[in-house]
Amino acid sequence: MDAETLLSIEDLRLALPDGRVLLDGVSLSLARGEALGVVGESGSGKSLTAMTVMGLLPDVRSSGAVRFRARDLLMQDARAWRRLRGKEIAMIFQDPMTAFLPVRRVGAQIDEQIRLHEKLSRREARARTVRLLGEMGVPDPAAAAERFPHQLSGGLRQRAMIAMALSCAPALLIADEPTTALDVTVQAQILVLLTRLRETGAGLMLITHDMGVVAQACTHVAVLYAGVVVERGPVRAVLDAPLHPYTRALLAAMPPLDGPRPAHLPAIAGQPPAPDARPPGCVFAPRCPQVRPDCAIRPPVVRMGEQEVVCVLYAS
Amino acid sequence: MLRMLAARLGQMVFVLFGISVLVFGVFFATPGADPTARIAGRGASPEVMARVRSAYGFDRPLPVQYARMMEKLFVSRDLTSFVDHGAPVVPEVMAAAPVTLSLVLWASLFWVVFSLAIGIVSAVLRDSWVDRFFMGIGLLGLSMPVFWLGEVVNLVTQSRFHDTWLFSWVPPLGYVPFSESPLGWARALLLPALTLSVAFIGLYARVLRAELLAAMGEDAIRTARAKGAGPARVWLWHGLRLSWLSYVSLFGMDFAQLVGGGALLTEVVFALPGVGRLTYQGLNTLDLPLIMATVMYAAVFVVLANAVIDGVYALLDPRIAEGRHGR
Ligand SMILES: Nc1ncnc2c1ncn2[C@@H]1O[C@H](COP(=O)(O)OP(=O)(O)OP(=O)(O)O)[C@@H](O)[C@H]1O
Ligand SMILES: [Mg+2]
């Protein structure tokens, strides 16, 4: 782990009290100025991973290590979590419709976060709120701060959400599908905002199920399948030469970034396994076109150049 | 704004009209309700009966009788009772109103304070023994009939243990006006108000707990946590704000119907001369003017409360205020 590493998750496992395994080996790392895309199908555990980093998971058993700036997050107490959340690690949620409290003005909610972490007067906090909203491209930010969430469009609300997340200049920003609920043009604008943020030196963890978003806005990528990170590495390397059969299938199912959309995209046959029905070996084996007998044993992590992959095809 | 007020007023008149017609109709449809015999007294001769009938206008068509009664109740306000040698009913209701209002104010103070405390504590400590204990007690309070509870309270504090240090302060049953003695007023109302509030505490604590727990599952609460808010702020500032809408509307309706005479049983048991007891008395003697006056009085409060609740709603949730303009 070098000095620039912000966040590193090592072999994180989460299980419910009844024994169902939700995450079964998630390893990630993220340095300052990097944007890590976490991709995977619905239910693969992307949000769970993010929630673990925020310490927002209710009673689950966890093992492994989550280190943020060399602090072990899983070991810290509630007060330490509170100081961390919103200040050093901030999160943007998937649905800007419901993420704000509907009964309070947007500006007041952003002010609240600022004043939770910094000793500022109401007026100073509001000044910063308005400045942030302006930087996020909200027209007439002072008036927008006086609006209730339902009075803003989806795109404006997500910008306000980002402004709130950035209000205390966090070192790490986690965005959980920040653009899924928005239309394509707004999505592109939001991605530009996030990219600019990363360029100022913060770390960005961008959760998405869209490889296109990863290609557009990320420097690194981790592919999550059924609670396991099956492949990770720099975006260019993974997109050019995907190693894991699941990554290949995902990329094949992605429409090309430019040029005409093909009439038919190959889909991955079958369904990802439910948390209580995961195979003991490779989790992708039941759907894998290249399945072999030794897939019945969980393959080790293999380093291939800049990439890491969990697959028997590369085990020596 | 003015149009809204006018609409409210119209709605109120309509409701009052409907209720009064209903009360009037039910009264005259009830067998044996003919007030002539009771006014004339037992064994009155047919001539006396006929005189009474024409004096009170019972021989006129019902719509005319209705119109005259409404005129006397609302315009000249000299509607007189069919019993009690024709005592005017409007002053009677006005004299009873402060008693009921005092009782309900005290009771609502108790039930809001206790149900808030119990509801929040139970929600925060959900599924713990504290929660189960409170919810069990609440269910018990909810299912105890108020007249039975009142009788037990009276039995304990008025006779059985009245001479012990614990209850020697309890005044005899009845009401003491605030203007006469503020302390006496408070003492006279403490036990009746507590008795009245028990069921409401049970109900409101349950409602608040359920609403609060539902609200805590919402995305907005997760956002509050992600902002770094502590548990007190998350529960009280964010959670309550999301969940107290139904609590507030429930409170408005219950408060209004109690002020309108819904505390009847409590007032009867504790011999408080309030509107509820007046209603009870009117029903007992089948005294239509008194029934009509108390029912109208109650209806005014319920309609007013509805208007106030709508206003408070719009304050608490801006989405509702806008919905009205949209319609
Ligand atoms: N509190 C919980 N109790 C039980 N199961 C849970 C809980 N939270 C999540 N899960 C399960 O864990 C799995 C992973 O959930 P997660 O929300 O992380 O998926 P995701 O990758 O974010 O999917 P999506 O793209 O739909 O957001 C799902 O199968 C979900 O049902
Ligand atoms: Mg998710």
Side-chain angles (χ1 to χ4, degrees), chain B residues 131-159:
Chain B
D131 174 31
R132 262 177 247 136
F133 172 77
F134 273 144
M135 286 302 109
I137 292 275
L139 201 61
L140 199 68
L142 200 57
S143 48
M144 261 188 306
V146 68
F147 57 87
W148 176 82
L149 185 64
E151 292 291 7
V152 170
V153 168
N154 276 344
L155 186 72
V156 170
T157 62
Q158 296 289 345
S159 52

PDB file of all heavy atoms in Angstrom, chain B residues 131-159:
ATOM      1  N   ASP B 131     -39.213  -1.850  24.933  1.00  0.00           N
ATOM      2  CA  ASP B 131     -40.222  -1.650  23.892  1.00  0.00           C
ATOM      3  C   ASP B 131     -41.424  -2.554  24.146  1.00  0.00           C
ATOM      4  O   ASP B 131     -42.570  -2.111  24.128  1.00  0.00           O
ATOM      5  CB  ASP B 131     -39.574  -1.965  22.537  1.00  0.00           C
ATOM      6  CG  ASP B 131     -40.575  -1.931  21.401  1.00  0.00           C
ATOM      7  OD1 ASP B 131     -41.540  -1.155  21.489  1.00  0.00           O
ATOM      8  OD2 ASP B 131     -40.376  -2.676  20.419  1.00  0.00           O
ATOM      9  N   ARG B 132     -41.146  -3.825  24.403  1.00  0.00           N
ATOM     10  CA  ARG B 132     -42.253  -4.766  24.601  1.00  0.00           C
ATOM     11  C   ARG B 132     -43.077  -4.390  25.829  1.00  0.00           C
ATOM     12  O   ARG B 132     -44.305  -4.454  25.817  1.00  0.00           O
ATOM     13  CB  ARG B 132     -41.714  -6.195  24.732  1.00  0.00           C
ATOM     14  CG  ARG B 132     -41.827  -6.921  23.400  1.00  0.00           C
ATOM     15  CD  ARG B 132     -41.247  -8.300  23.457  1.00  0.00           C
ATOM     16  NE  ARG B 132     -40.069  -8.335  22.608  1.00  0.00           N
ATOM     17  CZ  ARG B 132     -38.939  -8.898  22.938  1.00  0.00           C
ATOM     18  NH1 ARG B 132     -38.780  -9.473  24.111  1.00  0.00           N
ATOM     19  NH2 ARG B 132     -37.922  -8.880  22.101  1.00  0.00           N
ATOM     20  N   PHE B 133     -42.385  -3.953  26.872  1.00  0.00           N
ATOM     21  CA  PHE B 133     -43.075  -3.535  28.087  1.00  0.00           C
ATOM     22  C   PHE B 133     -43.999  -2.348  27.797  1.00  0.00           C
ATOM     23  O   PHE B 133     -45.181  -2.368  28.121  1.00  0.00           O
ATOM     24  CB  PHE B 133     -42.039  -3.177  29.148  1.00  0.00           C
ATOM     25  CG  PHE B 133     -42.615  -2.559  30.392  1.00  0.00           C
ATOM     26  CD1 PHE B 133     -43.243  -3.337  31.347  1.00  0.00           C
ATOM     27  CD2 PHE B 133     -42.517  -1.190  30.598  1.00  0.00           C
ATOM     28  CE1 PHE B 133     -43.773  -2.764  32.488  1.00  0.00           C
ATOM     29  CE2 PHE B 133     -43.047  -0.611  31.738  1.00  0.00           C
ATOM     30  CZ  PHE B 133     -43.676  -1.404  32.688  1.00  0.00           C
ATOM     31  N   PHE B 134     -43.445  -1.327  27.148  1.00  0.00           N
ATOM     32  CA  PHE B 134     -44.242  -0.129  26.865  1.00  0.00           C
ATOM     33  C   PHE B 134     -45.423  -0.453  25.960  1.00  0.00           C
ATOM     34  O   PHE B 134     -46.536   0.037  26.159  1.00  0.00           O
ATOM     35  CB  PHE B 134     -43.378   0.945  26.203  1.00  0.00           C
ATOM     36  CG  PHE B 134     -42.666   1.821  27.197  1.00  0.00           C
ATOM     37  CD1 PHE B 134     -41.390   2.299  26.933  1.00  0.00           C
ATOM     38  CD2 PHE B 134     -43.269   2.177  28.386  1.00  0.00           C
ATOM     39  CE1 PHE B 134     -40.729   3.108  27.839  1.00  0.00           C
ATOM     40  CE2 PHE B 134     -42.619   2.986  29.301  1.00  0.00           C
ATOM     41  CZ  PHE B 134     -41.346   3.448  29.028  1.00  0.00           C
ATOM     42  N   MET B 135     -45.166  -1.262  24.938  1.00  0.00           N
ATOM     43  CA  MET B 135     -46.252  -1.549  24.009  1.00  0.00           C
ATOM     44  C   MET B 135     -47.321  -2.401  24.684  1.00  0.00           C
ATOM     45  O   MET B 135     -48.516  -2.258  24.408  1.00  0.00           O
ATOM     46  CB  MET B 135     -45.709  -2.260  22.758  1.00  0.00           C
ATOM     47  CG  MET B 135     -44.950  -1.333  21.822  1.00  0.00           C
ATOM     48  SD  MET B 135     -45.947   0.081  21.244  1.00  0.00           S
ATOM     49  CE  MET B 135     -45.186   1.430  22.107  1.00  0.00           C
ATOM     50  N   GLY B 136     -46.898  -3.282  25.606  1.00  0.00           N
ATOM     51  CA  GLY B 136     -47.865  -4.070  26.365  1.00  0.00           C
ATOM     52  C   GLY B 136     -48.730  -3.157  27.227  1.00  0.00           C
ATOM     53  O   GLY B 136     -49.961  -3.238  27.215  1.00  0.00           O
ATOM     54  N   ILE B 137     -48.073  -2.256  27.949  1.00  0.00           N
ATOM     55  CA  ILE B 137     -48.793  -1.300  28.798  1.00  0.00           C
ATOM     56  C   ILE B 137     -49.734  -0.460  27.942  1.00  0.00           C
ATOM     57  O   ILE B 137     -50.882  -0.200  28.309  1.00  0.00           O
ATOM     58  CB  ILE B 137     -47.781  -0.369  29.505  1.00  0.00           C
ATOM     59  CG1 ILE B 137     -46.960  -1.160  30.510  1.00  0.00           C
ATOM     60  CG2 ILE B 137     -48.494   0.793  30.169  1.00  0.00           C
ATOM     61  CD1 ILE B 137     -47.620  -1.297  31.836  1.00  0.00           C
ATOM     62  N   GLY B 138     -49.230  -0.054  26.784  1.00  0.00           N
ATOM     63  CA  GLY B 138     -50.033   0.778  25.893  1.00  0.00           C
ATOM     64  C   GLY B 138     -51.291   0.054  25.457  1.00  0.00           C
ATOM     65  O   GLY B 138     -52.380   0.622  25.440  1.00  0.00           O
ATOM     66  N   LEU B 139     -51.128  -1.218  25.120  1.00  0.00           N
ATOM     67  CA  LEU B 139     -52.278  -2.011  24.687  1.00  0.00           C
ATOM     68  C   LEU B 139     -53.280  -2.132  25.825  1.00  0.00           C
ATOM     69  O   LEU B 139     -54.491  -2.041  25.639  1.00  0.00           O
ATOM     70  CB  LEU B 139     -51.792  -3.396  24.253  1.00  0.00           C
ATOM     71  CG  LEU B 139     -52.742  -4.157  23.341  1.00  0.00           C
ATOM     72  CD1 LEU B 139     -52.964  -3.387  22.058  1.00  0.00           C
ATOM     73  CD2 LEU B 139     -52.192  -5.540  23.044  1.00  0.00           C
ATOM     74  N   LEU B 140     -52.749  -2.313  27.025  1.00  0.00           N
ATOM     75  CA  LEU B 140     -53.601  -2.400  28.207  1.00  0.00           C
ATOM     76  C   LEU B 140     -54.394  -1.104  28.368  1.00  0.00           C
ATOM     77  O   LEU B 140     -55.610  -1.116  28.557  1.00  0.00           O
ATOM     78  CB  LEU B 140     -52.720  -2.633  29.434  1.00  0.00           C
ATOM     79  CG  LEU B 140     -53.406  -3.198  30.666  1.00  0.00           C
ATOM     80  CD1 LEU B 140     -53.837  -4.628  30.401  1.00  0.00           C
ATOM     81  CD2 LEU B 140     -52.472  -3.130  31.870  1.00  0.00           C
ATOM     82  N   GLY B 141     -53.677   0.024  28.273  1.00  0.00           N
ATOM     83  CA  GLY B 141     -54.337   1.323  28.420  1.00  0.00           C
ATOM     84  C   GLY B 141     -55.383   1.529  27.346  1.00  0.00           C
ATOM     85  O   GLY B 141     -56.476   2.042  27.589  1.00  0.00           O
ATOM     86  N   LEU B 142     -55.056   1.068  26.151  1.00  0.00           N
ATOM     87  CA  LEU B 142     -55.954   1.223  25.012  1.00  0.00           C
ATOM     88  C   LEU B 142     -57.231   0.429  25.210  1.00  0.00           C
ATOM     89  O   LEU B 142     -58.307   0.817  24.760  1.00  0.00           O
ATOM     90  CB  LEU B 142     -55.206   0.726  23.775  1.00  0.00           C
ATOM     91  CG  LEU B 142     -55.676   1.173  22.419  1.00  0.00           C
ATOM     92  CD1 LEU B 142     -55.676   2.666  22.355  1.00  0.00           C
ATOM     93  CD2 LEU B 142     -54.730   0.601  21.365  1.00  0.00           C
ATOM     94  N   SER B 143     -57.110  -0.711  25.891  1.00  0.00           N
ATOM     95  CA  SER B 143     -58.267  -1.602  25.965  1.00  0.00           C
ATOM     96  C   SER B 143     -59.044  -1.436  27.269  1.00  0.00           C
ATOM     97  O   SER B 143     -60.044  -2.107  27.460  1.00  0.00           O
ATOM     98  CB  SER B 143     -57.814  -3.053  25.788  1.00  0.00           C
ATOM     99  OG  SER B 143     -56.712  -3.308  26.617  1.00  0.00           O
ATOM    100  N   MET B 144     -58.609  -0.535  28.146  1.00  0.00           N
ATOM    101  CA  MET B 144     -59.372  -0.315  29.382  1.00  0.00           C
ATOM    102  C   MET B 144     -60.482   0.692  29.111  1.00  0.00           C
ATOM    103  O   MET B 144     -60.207   1.807  28.699  1.00  0.00           O
ATOM    104  CB  MET B 144     -58.452   0.218  30.472  1.00  0.00           C
ATOM    105  CG  MET B 144     -57.999  -0.866  31.408  1.00  0.00           C
ATOM    106  SD  MET B 144     -57.108  -0.205  32.814  1.00  0.00           S
ATOM    107  CE  MET B 144     -55.855   0.771  32.064  1.00  0.00           C
ATOM    108  N   PRO B 145     -61.734   0.307  29.359  1.00  0.00           N
ATOM    109  CA  PRO B 145     -62.815   1.283  29.145  1.00  0.00           C
ATOM    110  C   PRO B 145     -62.637   2.450  30.104  1.00  0.00           C
ATOM    111  O   PRO B 145     -62.334   2.256  31.279  1.00  0.00           O
ATOM    112  CB  PRO B 145     -64.080   0.500  29.490  1.00  0.00           C
ATOM    113  CG  PRO B 145     -63.680  -0.923  29.563  1.00  0.00           C
ATOM    114  CD  PRO B 145     -62.232  -0.975  29.864  1.00  0.00           C
ATOM    115  N   VAL B 146     -62.847   3.649  29.599  1.00  0.00           N
ATOM    116  CA  VAL B 146     -62.527   4.831  30.387  1.00  0.00           C
ATOM    117  C   VAL B 146     -63.464   4.979  31.588  1.00  0.00           C
ATOM    118  O   VAL B 146     -63.045   5.403  32.661  1.00  0.00           O
ATOM    119  CB  VAL B 146     -62.519   6.094  29.492  1.00  0.00           C
ATOM    120  CG1 VAL B 146     -63.901   6.422  29.004  1.00  0.00           C
ATOM    121  CG2 VAL B 146     -61.920   7.272  30.207  1.00  0.00           C
ATOM    122  N   PHE B 147     -64.724   4.540  31.450  1.00  0.00           N
ATOM    123  CA  PHE B 147     -65.631   4.680  32.605  1.00  0.00           C
ATOM    124  C   PHE B 147     -65.250   3.717  33.714  1.00  0.00           C
ATOM    125  O   PHE B 147     -65.309   4.022  34.884  1.00  0.00           O
ATOM    126  CB  PHE B 147     -67.093   4.483  32.190  1.00  0.00           C
ATOM    127  CG  PHE B 147     -67.382   3.171  31.526  1.00  0.00           C
ATOM    128  CD1 PHE B 147     -67.693   2.059  32.274  1.00  0.00           C
ATOM    129  CD2 PHE B 147     -67.334   3.062  30.150  1.00  0.00           C
ATOM    130  CE1 PHE B 147     -67.956   0.840  31.663  1.00  0.00           C
ATOM    131  CE2 PHE B 147     -67.601   1.858  29.529  1.00  0.00           C
ATOM    132  CZ  PHE B 147     -67.899   0.741  30.293  1.00  0.00           C
ATOM    133  N   TRP B 148     -64.782   2.528  33.304  1.00  0.00           N
ATOM    134  CA  TRP B 148     -64.346   1.561  34.312  1.00  0.00           C
ATOM    135  C   TRP B 148     -63.108   2.084  35.043  1.00  0.00           C
ATOM    136  O   TRP B 148     -63.028   2.091  36.266  1.00  0.00           O
ATOM    137  CB  TRP B 148     -64.045   0.221  33.624  1.00  0.00           C
ATOM    138  CG  TRP B 148     -63.505  -0.812  34.568  1.00  0.00           C
ATOM    139  CD1 TRP B 148     -64.228  -1.613  35.401  1.00  0.00           C
ATOM    140  CD2 TRP B 148     -62.129  -1.126  34.788  1.00  0.00           C
ATOM    141  NE1 TRP B 148     -63.388  -2.408  36.130  1.00  0.00           N
ATOM    142  CE2 TRP B 148     -62.107  -2.132  35.779  1.00  0.00           C
ATOM    143  CE3 TRP B 148     -60.936  -0.661  34.255  1.00  0.00           C
ATOM    144  CZ2 TRP B 148     -60.910  -2.689  36.236  1.00  0.00           C
ATOM    145  CZ3 TRP B 148     -59.753  -1.212  34.711  1.00  0.00           C
ATOM    146  CH2 TRP B 148     -59.735  -2.211  35.692  1.00  0.00           C
ATOM    147  N   LEU B 149     -62.142   2.563  34.241  1.00  0.00           N
ATOM    148  CA  LEU B 149     -60.924   3.108  34.829  1.00  0.00           C
ATOM    149  C   LEU B 149     -61.257   4.260  35.768  1.00  0.00           C
ATOM    150  O   LEU B 149     -60.730   4.364  36.885  1.00  0.00           O
ATOM    151  CB  LEU B 149     -59.990   3.582  33.714  1.00  0.00           C
ATOM    152  CG  LEU B 149     -58.623   4.078  34.152  1.00  0.00           C
ATOM    153  CD1 LEU B 149     -57.842   2.957  34.790  1.00  0.00           C
ATOM    154  CD2 LEU B 149     -57.854   4.641  32.963  1.00  0.00           C
ATOM    155  N   GLY B 150     -62.183   5.115  35.321  1.00  0.00           N
ATOM    156  CA  GLY B 150     -62.584   6.259  36.143  1.00  0.00           C
ATOM    157  C   GLY B 150     -63.203   5.803  37.458  1.00  0.00           C
ATOM    158  O   GLY B 150     -62.897   6.347  38.527  1.00  0.00           O
ATOM    159  N   GLU B 151     -64.047   4.790  37.382  1.00  0.00           N
ATOM    160  CA  GLU B 151     -64.669   4.287  38.607  1.00  0.00           C
ATOM    161  C   GLU B 151     -63.616   3.736  39.557  1.00  0.00           C
ATOM    162  O   GLU B 151     -63.667   3.956  40.767  1.00  0.00           O
ATOM    163  CB  GLU B 151     -65.693   3.186  38.274  1.00  0.00           C
ATOM    164  CG  GLU B 151     -66.926   3.668  37.530  1.00  0.00           C
ATOM    165  CD  GLU B 151     -67.847   4.538  38.381  1.00  0.00           C
ATOM    166  OE1 GLU B 151     -67.473   4.888  39.521  1.00  0.00           O
ATOM    167  OE2 GLU B 151     -68.939   4.899  37.879  1.00  0.00           O
ATOM    168  N   VAL B 152     -62.650   3.020  38.999  1.00  0.00           N
ATOM    169  CA  VAL B 152     -61.587   2.458  39.839  1.00  0.00           C
ATOM    170  C   VAL B 152     -60.797   3.587  40.493  1.00  0.00           C
ATOM    171  O   VAL B 152     -60.505   3.555  41.698  1.00  0.00           O
ATOM    172  CB  VAL B 152     -60.661   1.543  39.012  1.00  0.00           C
ATOM    173  CG1 VAL B 152     -59.437   1.156  39.828  1.00  0.00           C
ATOM    174  CG2 VAL B 152     -61.408   0.310  38.552  1.00  0.00           C
ATOM    175  N   VAL B 153     -60.459   4.609  39.686  1.00  0.00           N
ATOM    176  CA  VAL B 153     -59.714   5.744  40.225  1.00  0.00           C
ATOM    177  C   VAL B 153     -60.503   6.390  41.354  1.00  0.00           C
ATOM    178  O   VAL B 153     -59.961   6.697  42.431  1.00  0.00           O
ATOM    179  CB  VAL B 153     -59.415   6.767  39.106  1.00  0.00           C
ATOM    180  CG1 VAL B 153     -58.907   8.077  39.698  1.00  0.00           C
ATOM    181  CG2 VAL B 153     -58.393   6.207  38.142  1.00  0.00           C
ATOM    182  N   ASN B 154     -61.788   6.562  41.132  1.00  0.00           N
ATOM    183  CA  ASN B 154     -62.629   7.158  42.168  1.00  0.00           C
ATOM    184  C   ASN B 154     -62.659   6.301  43.423  1.00  0.00           C
ATOM    185  O   ASN B 154     -62.539   6.799  44.538  1.00  0.00           O
ATOM    186  CB  ASN B 154     -64.057   7.339  41.650  1.00  0.00           C
ATOM    187  CG  ASN B 154     -64.177   8.625  40.871  1.00  0.00           C
ATOM    188  OD1 ASN B 154     -63.313   9.483  40.970  1.00  0.00           O
ATOM    189  ND2 ASN B 154     -65.228   8.733  40.087  1.00  0.00           N
ATOM    190  N   LEU B 155     -62.827   5.008  43.198  1.00  0.00           N
ATOM    191  CA  LEU B 155     -62.891   4.086  44.325  1.00  0.00           C
ATOM    192  C   LEU B 155     -61.624   4.217  45.168  1.00  0.00           C
ATOM    193  O   LEU B 155     -61.667   4.323  46.388  1.00  0.00           O
ATOM    194  CB  LEU B 155     -63.041   2.657  43.795  1.00  0.00           C
ATOM    195  CG  LEU B 155     -63.277   1.585  44.853  1.00  0.00           C
ATOM    196  CD1 LEU B 155     -64.688   1.732  45.403  1.00  0.00           C
ATOM    197  CD2 LEU B 155     -63.077   0.210  44.257  1.00  0.00           C
ATOM    198  N   VAL B 156     -60.483   4.233  44.484  1.00  0.00           N
ATOM    199  CA  VAL B 156     -59.204   4.261  45.188  1.00  0.00           C
ATOM    200  C   VAL B 156     -58.976   5.618  45.856  1.00  0.00           C
ATOM    201  O   VAL B 156     -58.638   5.702  47.035  1.00  0.00           O
ATOM    202  CB  VAL B 156     -58.055   3.938  44.217  1.00  0.00           C
ATOM    203  CG1 VAL B 156     -56.709   4.214  44.874  1.00  0.00           C
ATOM    204  CG2 VAL B 156     -58.141   2.503  43.757  1.00  0.00           C
ATOM    205  N   THR B 157     -59.197   6.692  45.105  1.00  0.00           N
ATOM    206  CA  THR B 157     -58.785   7.996  45.631  1.00  0.00           C
ATOM    207  C   THR B 157     -59.868   8.672  46.454  1.00  0.00           C
ATOM    208  O   THR B 157     -59.572   9.549  47.256  1.00  0.00           O
ATOM    209  CB  THR B 157     -58.397   8.935  44.483  1.00  0.00           C
ATOM    210  OG1 THR B 157     -59.539   9.143  43.664  1.00  0.00           O
ATOM    211  CG2 THR B 157     -57.273   8.371  43.658  1.00  0.00           C
ATOM    212  N   GLN B 158     -61.123   8.293  46.244  1.00  0.00           N
ATOM    213  CA  GLN B 158     -62.185   8.985  46.975  1.00  0.00           C
ATOM    214  C   GLN B 158     -62.599   8.252  48.238  1.00  0.00           C
ATOM    215  O   GLN B 158     -62.962   8.884  49.232  1.00  0.00           O
ATOM    216  CB  GLN B 158     -63.413   9.179  46.079  1.00  0.00           C
ATOM    217  CG  GLN B 158     -63.183  10.061  44.895  1.00  0.00           C
ATOM    218  CD  GLN B 158     -63.022  11.527  45.264  1.00  0.00           C
ATOM    219  OE1 GLN B 158     -63.342  11.942  46.367  1.00  0.00           O
ATOM    220  NE2 GLN B 158     -62.493  12.314  44.344  1.00  0.00           N
ATOM    221  N   SER B 159     -62.568   6.916  48.169  1.00  0.00           N
ATOM    222  CA  SER B 159     -63.048   6.235  49.373  1.00  0.00           C
ATOM    223  C   SER B 159     -61.983   5.331  49.993  1.00  0.00           C
ATOM    224  O   SER B 159     -61.553   5.556  51.119  1.00  0.00           O
ATOM    225  CB  SER B 159     -64.303   5.423  49.044  1.00  0.00           C
ATOM    226  OG  SER B 159     -64.055   4.588  47.936  1.00  0.00           O
TER     227      SER B 159
END
